[in-house]
Amino acid sequence: MLAPQADRVMEVGEWEERWQENRIGFHLPHVHKMLETHIEKVLAGRTGVRFFFPLCGKAVDMKWLADMGHSVVGVEISEKAIKQFFEENNMTYSEEDVPAIPGAKVYKGSERNISLYQCNLFDFSSSVGGQFGAIWDRGSLVAISPRDREKYVAVIIPLMAKDCRYLLHTFLYNPELYPGSPFFVPDEQVQSLFWNSCNIEFLQAVDTITEEHQGWGLLESISEHVHLITPKSS
C-alpha cells in the first residue's frame, strides 16, 4: 500500500510556496477535535507541560495550550505562518537569531510562553530546544516525504523527555487515488517506526469526508487515526 507514494518528495520550498500563495487548506481555524478529546490523556495530571509542535504552521492549538499555562515550542519553515500566528492571536513577539542553526530565527511571544523556530525541522535538536513532556504531531509526520520517515523519527525521539506523551495524528486512505501530501501512514508503519524505543497505544479512529478531501479526488471516507506514544522505561 505504501508503493504509490514511496517516491513522492516534498521539498521545503513547496511548503513555503503554499504559505505564500495561501494554499493552506490544512490549517484549522479551531482547536483540533482529537487534541481536545485526548488532552487529559496527554497531560496525565501534569501542569506546566512543555509541548513541542513539529511543523506547527499557525495552529491555534498552540495558544489554547499556552492559555492553560503550558509552554509551547514549535518548528516551522514559513516565516509568514509564524508571523500570522502571533498577529492573528493579537500577540506581540521578539525575534532572535539561533546561533546553532545558521539562518534560523526564533520568535518568542511576549504575553504567552510560546517560542517558534523558523528553520528546517531536520536541523532542530534537543541541544537547541531541550526536551519535551508532550508532543502534538498533527500535519507533520504525514507531511514529510515518505522516504524521510526514519530520519524524522531520529529527530523526534531525542526530543522526548522520560515522561513525554506524544500524540500522533495520521491519515489512512487509498494512496492509489491521491499522491499526497498529506500522505498515507498505516498503523503498521507507526508501529515499525517507534516500537524499538517506545510504547504505542492506539486511541481513536474517525472516518471523515470533507470538501478538501473531495478536492484531493478522494470520494470515499478517510480514516483519521490517533496514537499515544511514550518512551519505554530504560
Side-chain angles (χ1 to χ4, degrees):
M1 287 292 283
L2 293 170
Q5 296 179 343
D7 297 323
R8 175 82 165 92
V9 176
M10 282 297 291
E11 301 289 355
V12 165
E14 285 188 64
W15 289 112
E16 291 185 288
E17 192 175 280
R18 287 190 185 193
W19 279 100
Q20 288 304 322
E21 297 175 359
N22 207 36
R23 292 187 289 118
I24 54 170
F26 49 83
H27 172 70
L28 293 178
H30 53 78
V31 176
H32 197 286
K33 294 294 184 191
M34 286 181 160
L35 178 60
E36 282 186 322
T37 298
H38 299 292
I39 186 61
E40 294 305 325
K41 189 111 180 169
V42 174
L43 295 177
R46 299 173 297 167
T47 57
V49 176
R50 256 189 122 225
F51 272 83
F52 181 59
F53 277 64
L55 307 190
C56 61
K58 58 177 182 178
V60 298
D61 307 12
M62 295 190 287
K63 183 174 185 296
W64 183 67
L65 289 165
D67 285 346
M68 292 183 195
H70 306 296
S71 58
V72 172
V73 173
V75 169
E76 170 57 49
I77 196 63
S78 169
E79 180 184 43
K80 181 178 179 180
I82 292 173
K83 288 184 173 180
Q84 281 187 350
F85 169 78
F86 287 112
E87 290 161 5
E88 291 174 8
N89 288 291
N90 299 310
M91 297 169 65
T92 56
Y93 60 89
S94 61
E95 183 181 326
E96 301 171 13
D97 291 332
V98 182
I101 308 175
K105 292 182 179 180
V106 58
Y107 297 78
K108 297 182 177 181
S110 304
E111 295 85 4
R112 295 288 185 277
N113 196 346
I114 299 175
S115 298
L116 305 183
Y117 287 79
Q118 186 205 351
C119 65
N120 189 316
L121 178 64
F122 292 116
D123 292 332
F124 191 77
S125 67
S126 58
S127 64
V128 175
Q131 289 188 313
F132 300 92
I135 299 173
W136 172 220
D137 187 328
R138 182 261 167 182
S140 187
L141 177 62
V142 299
I144 62 156
S145 303
R147 70 182 186 189
D148 287 335
R149 286 175 187 161
E150 288 81 5
K151 182 180 173 185
Y152 178 90
V153 171
V155 169
I156 294 292
I157 287 180
L159 298 175
M160 300 174 71
K162 288 182 180 179
D163 64 345
C164 184
R165 299 177 74 78
Y166 170 13
L167 199 63
L168 172 66
H169 173 271
T170 56
F171 286 108
L172 277 78
Y173 58 83
N174 183 350
E176 300 275 0
L177 301 178
Y178 176 62
S181 158
F183 296 106
F184 162 80
V185 182
D187 293 348
E188 294 79 10
Q189 189 170 41
V190 173
Q191 293 285 337
S192 67
L193 287 169
F194 290 99
W195 74 272
N196 195 43
S197 54
C198 297
N199 297 307
I200 303 142
E201 180 185 354
F202 176 78
L203 295 183
Q204 186 183 14
V206 176
D207 291 336
T208 59
I209 185 71
T210 67
E211 285 186 20
E212 184 188 7
H213 300 155
Q214 291 171 341
W216 302 345
L218 295 168
L219 301 180
E220 57 196 59
S221 68
I222 289 181
S223 190
E224 297 184 48
H225 286 197
V226 173
H227 291 84
L228 183 68
I229 300 172
T230 52
K232 288 181 178 175
S233 304
S234 55

